Amino acid sequence: MKKLSLTSQKIGFTAATALLAACLPLSAAAGTSGDYQGAMPNKGQYNVIFHLDAGGVPAIKKTLNNIENILHDPRLAGKLHVELIANSKGFDVYVKNNGFEDKLKHLQAEGVILAQCANTLKELHVDRNDLYPFISIVPSGMGEITIREAQGWAYIHPSAPPEQL
């Protein structure tokens, strides 16, 4: 292992110190003193598509809670459009008698679009009648995400809780 000269070590320390000093004003401007209230909404409308491709109660709960949280962010009140697209094992969110019917109906009443990938139903041999009747079917989940992103929608894909990885 090559030893650094004392001069190289001093130069490295000086560069690191300069970088830290340059960043301090940025962190202060970001509100590290406790006064930062988050990003300010400067648009009239925000659109977000949530992607659920993992099944099981923990993954579903996490995604639905994320949607609830964004719906109740006061900065986005009256400015938000949300869609939940399920594909792959994420179709579990829409299966009848899964315990999420009331939550899904509540989200839909709040304006959330609830969409299921038709390709998943075909590939996994899921009967449309096994899903809640108030769920919309789109030709493909990936197509839905592609179109929404091209329209400027933000894409959120909550990761499955660690016990499911």
Side-chain angles (χ1 to χ4, degrees):
M1 186 165 149
K2 183 179 175 184
K3 281 190 163 185
L4 293 175
S5 71
L6 188 54
T7 304
S8 296
Q9 290 176 0
K10 284 182 181 179
I11 292 171
F13 178 76
T14 303
T17 303
L19 181 60
L20 177 62
C23 291
L24 284 177
L26 294 175
S27 64
T32 57
S33 65
D35 61 347
Y36 183 64
Q37 300 294 313
M40 296 307 298
N42 57 4
K43 294 183 176 184
Q45 180 177 323
Y46 294 86
N47 303 307
V48 60
I49 185 164
F50 283 82
H51 180 197
L52 181 60
D53 62 356
V57 172
I60 294 169
K61 278 186 176 181
K62 182 176 182 182
T63 301
L64 297 181
N65 285 341
N66 281 197
I67 294 171
E68 276 293 332
N69 290 341
I70 199 169
L71 288 173
H72 294 107
D73 186 322
R75 298 170 297 172
L76 298 171
K79 299 179 177 189
L80 187 63
H81 294 109
V82 178
E83 180 172 345
L84 171 60
I85 180 67
N87 76 320
S88 188
K89 302 280 177 134
F91 80 90
D92 281 354
V93 69
Y94 298 141
V95 174
K96 290 178 183 174
N97 302 313
N98 65 0
F100 293 104
E101 181 175 12
D102 290 341
K103 179 76 145 181
L104 292 169
K105 284 183 174 179
H106 170 74
L107 291 174
Q108 193 172 51
E110 294 217 18
V112 176
I113 299 165
L114 304 173
Q116 170 60 50
C117 169
N119 287 335
T120 293
L121 299 181
K122 181 180 174 185
E123 290 167 11
L124 298 181
H125 308 288
V126 177
D127 188 323
R128 168 65 173 108
N129 294 320
D130 291 337
L131 305 182
Y132 295 117
F134 54 89
I135 303 304
S136 299
I137 306 295
V138 298
S140 87
M142 294 299 100
E144 190 72 3
I145 291 167
T146 299
I147 293 167
R148 291 301 193 194
E149 285 198 270
Q151 293 171 340
W153 287 50
Y155 170 79
I156 299 178
H157 182 244
S159 60
E163 61 271 11
Q164 288 195 290
L165 296 178

